[in-house]
Amino acid sequence: MSFTGISGTQKIDRAAVEAPRAWIGAGPKSLLIDGRWVSAASGKTLETIDPSSEAVLALLAEGADIDVDAAVAAAQKALECKSWAGISPHQRARYLLQIADLVDRHADELALIETIDMGMPAWFSTAVAKMAGETFRYYAGWTTKIAGSTLPTDASNFIYTLKEPVGVCGAITPWNVPLLLACFKIAPALACGNTIVVKPSEIASLSTLRLAELIQEADLPPGVLNVVTGFGPSVGERMANHSGIDKISFTGSTAVGQRSLQASAGNLKRVTLELGGKSPNIIFPDADLDRALDAAVNGFTRNSGQICSSGTRIFVHRDIYDEVAERIASISAGRKVGDPFGADTFLGPVASATHCDRVMSYIDAGNDEGARMLTGGNRLSRPGFFIEPTVFTGVTNDKKIAREEIFAPVDTIIAFRVDEYAVFTGSDTACGLAAGIWPKDVGRAHKVARALKAGRIWINTYGETDPVMPFGGFKQSGIGREFGAESIAAYTETKAVQIRF
């Protein structure tokens, strides 16, 4: 599925928005523990804010250590229960297909909740909600293909392997694409027979909570899926160091991922980390510029730049640098920022006041470093956390705005003359999540793709994704992969069995 194109014609029936708003406003949201929706043990709640208006949307249960402990205990009990551990892979497939159908039927509602809660433009949240259902359907197909093997040995011996669930999985998801990232973790965990405790970001928890309600309609045994909302330093850290959790799957910043990895050492829990990026997008002189430039702008502005694989360092050959820079600036300036439900809106707000201030500090840093700002650079003078697409030229790879992940619609354009420089400098970052390259020469395409140090490479496209395509990064962009066959290995353990006759 591609997330690269502009809708520009997304029409939202305003009456359709009322149902999700009614659900959002229908009292404080609870925790899901052992099949029941319950308040936090402390009774505390936290506010979730509408990034388009800065108004309070809803109250969420503020979970803490004691709530994590209860959720883990429920997941441990469910893991050993015959109604889950004893079922066939065919039954697990039926559960996942039923969930996929439920998500598909409620896709518009889930998309609208995502747009309201974190400001995701409606054209993008619609695509995200569609892929949410596809994710469960993809993993439903895996349940009957998770197999061990028999191994060659002598005639008086028999050796075989089994693939078994890791156990209780903890999933910690971020605020940028909360619905889809929850699906990325829940679906493979369930496909492999695990149980799971999910902690969504306190900034954007609502779509995950509604997803959990829908999953409950599939009648999974109690405790197979649990959701604990709350803050990272309490809920997230408790999950990362909890001795009853056998695996952590974390998506978020590199700094928090490092702390999660350190915390996991207590019981040597398995860890999957999908962390930050500072991805290069390299435009060669033989590129189809009309395609390349439109995709390049989409690559750093979709979801208001809040995508870990955003192509925020655009490398352009010196022969076409001036033309490309001006055209990128012009296309960026034409991307409308505003009401995320607007028919012609491409960028909504960034997700929070804290993040908005952080982004503006990076724009200031770019100006202070002497970069030339071709367009943007402003926060809109209206309620909400709206920031214009911003393009800097005259940037070298050692500058702060070229080295640190901004996570916003802020782009740097860097010149190169020889392919080797683009490859070396494109890989000269602490991260290695993704990269894009735009050549017509097939030999150059394969040579550069092989040389770049990144986990996902796009050639003559940018930002597309598919459940069959592994996602994850080199270096400080993380450990392990989500999607594809690699994700099944991440949620299973291999047991070897030997029989001597």
Side-chain angles (χ1 to χ4, degrees):
M1 172 178 287
S2 172
F3 290 152
T4 59
I6 300 176
S7 168
T9 58
Q10 182 69 42
K11 297 185 184 300
I12 298 295
D13 180 356
R14 292 290 171 166
V17 182
E18 296 309 310
R21 286 198 182 277
W23 176 83
I24 289 170
K29 302 305 173 193
S30 301
L31 313 177
L32 177 60
I33 299 177
D34 202 17
R36 297 180 299 113
W37 290 98
V38 297
S39 300
S42 68
K44 291 183 178 179
T45 59
L46 62 93
E47 295 178 342
T48 185
I49 304 298
D50 181 347
S52 294
S53 67
E54 304 181 50
V56 175
L57 273 175
L59 297 177
L60 309 176
E62 185 183 334
D65 290 12
I66 189 172
D67 303 296
V68 174
D69 293 346
V72 171
Q76 289 174 319
K77 181 176 68 175
L79 187 68
E80 304 300 329
C81 181
K82 288 185 178 180
S83 62
W84 181 246
I87 66 175
S88 72
H90 305 286
Q91 180 57 48
R92 287 204 306 275
R94 286 191 286 272
Y95 275 130
L96 289 167
L97 289 170
Q98 187 177 357
I99 294 168
D101 289 342
L102 286 163
V103 170
D104 285 347
R105 287 201 297 272
H106 293 268
D108 289 344
E109 177 192 1
L110 290 166
L112 295 173
I113 291 171
E114 198 85 312
T115 295
I116 293 166
D117 194 23
M118 66 77 55
M120 184 182 292
W123 70 266
F124 192 71
S125 65
T126 301
V128 164
K130 179 180 178 182
M131 192 170 183
E134 291 178 354
T135 299
F136 282 99
R137 196 162 281 108
Y138 170 76
Y139 281 105
W142 264 109
T143 62
T144 54
K145 285 85 177 174
I146 303 170
S149 59
T150 59
L151 305 175
T153 185
D154 62 79
S156 64
N157 206 13
F158 181 48
I159 302 174
Y160 63 95
T161 62
L162 299 170
K163 291 289 188 181
E164 298 188 350
V166 172
V168 176
C169 299
I172 302 175
T173 60
W175 45 259
N176 62 319
V177 194
L179 172 66
L180 192 54
L181 291 170
C183 296
F184 280 13
K185 301 180 189 306
I186 295 170
L190 300 187
C192 296
N194 300 283
T195 58
I196 191 165
V197 179
V198 181
K199 186 253 181 245
S201 169
E202 65 275 11
I203 293 173
S205 297
L206 294 175
S207 62
T208 302
L209 291 170
R210 183 63 183 125
L211 172 67
E213 289 183 352
L214 295 175
I215 291 174
Q216 274 202 299
E217 293 184 28
D219 292 326
L220 288 174
V224 171
L225 171 68
N226 306 271
V227 181
V228 180
T229 52
F231 294 104
S234 51
V235 175
E237 290 191 12
R238 177 59 175 164
M239 288 173 61
N241 63 32
H242 202 294
S243 61
I245 291 181
D246 304 294
K247 173 186 172 62
I248 282 285
S249 178
F250 170 85
T251 300
S253 71
T254 297
V256 178
Q258 290 169 332
R259 293 201 296 273
S260 296
L261 183 61
Q262 291 169 345
S264 71
N267 68 338
L268 292 179
K269 57 173 57 70
R270 307 302 185 253
V271 177
T272 300
L273 303 175
E274 197 272 284
L275 308 177
K278 194 66 178 177
S279 300
N281 194 7
I282 305 172
I283 301 176
F284 292 97
D286 63 337
D288 178 339
L289 289 185
D290 289 338
R291 286 179 59 199
L293 302 191
D294 191 65
V297 173
N298 293 351
F300 78 89
T301 59
R302 62 199 172 109
N303 202 29
S304 302
Q306 299 167 126
I307 297 289
C308 52
S309 57
S310 289
T312 52
R313 291 182 300 146
I314 301 179
F315 289 83
V316 181
H317 194 275
R318 174 56 67 187
D319 290 349
I320 57 173
Y321 184 88
D322 292 339
E323 175 194 355
V324 166
E326 292 298 331
R327 287 179 63 180
I328 286 176
S330 177
I331 296 169
S332 300
R335 295 287 190 263
K336 182 180 176 181
V337 185
D339 176 8
F341 289 109
D344 57 350
T345 295
F346 192 81
L347 292 87
V350 297
S352 70
T354 300
H355 187 52
C356 185
D357 291 342
R358 179 178 178 273
V359 174
M360 295 308 299
S361 73
Y362 274 104
I363 292 173
D364 291 340
N367 289 321
D368 293 343
E369 289 179 324
R372 180 188 175 204
M373 188 166 62
L374 293 186
T375 190
N378 299 307
R379 178 179 175 180
L380 301 192
S381 57
R382 54 167 287 179
F385 313 124
F386 297 91
I387 298 174
E388 296 173 331
T390 303
V391 177
F392 285 102
T393 60
V395 180
T396 53
N397 201 54
D398 60 336
K399 301 301 183 185
K400 180 177 182 177
I401 57 172
R403 299 207 65 81
E404 298 182 16
E405 185 176 36
I406 303 174
F407 218 59
V410 179
D411 175 70
T412 59
I413 305 180
I414 301 171
F416 73 93
R417 284 202 178 276
V418 296
D419 292 8
E420 290 78 8
Y421 178 85
V423 170
F424 175 80
T425 312
S427 297
D428 181 19
T429 168
C431 300
L433 189 57
I437 55 178
W438 294 85
K440 288 183 180 176
D441 184 309
V442 174
R444 170 186 267 166
H446 287 296
K447 181 179 179 181
V448 173
R450 184 178 290 270
L452 285 166
K453 304 300 182 187
R456 182 175 277 193
I457 309 290
W458 290 288
I459 301 174
N460 293 328
T461 184
Y462 199 94
E464 295 191 47
T465 192
D466 189 291
V468 304
M469 188 178 183
F471 183 66
F474 288 23
K475 299 184 281 187
Q476 292 185 35
S477 285
I479 297 172
R481 296 293 183 269
E482 294 185 306
F483 273 173
E486 285 86 348
S487 63
I488 298 300
Y491 283 93
T492 55
E493 292 279 21
T494 299
K495 177 184 287 182
V497 181
Q498 180 179 13
I499 305 172
R500 176 68 68 179
F501 302 121

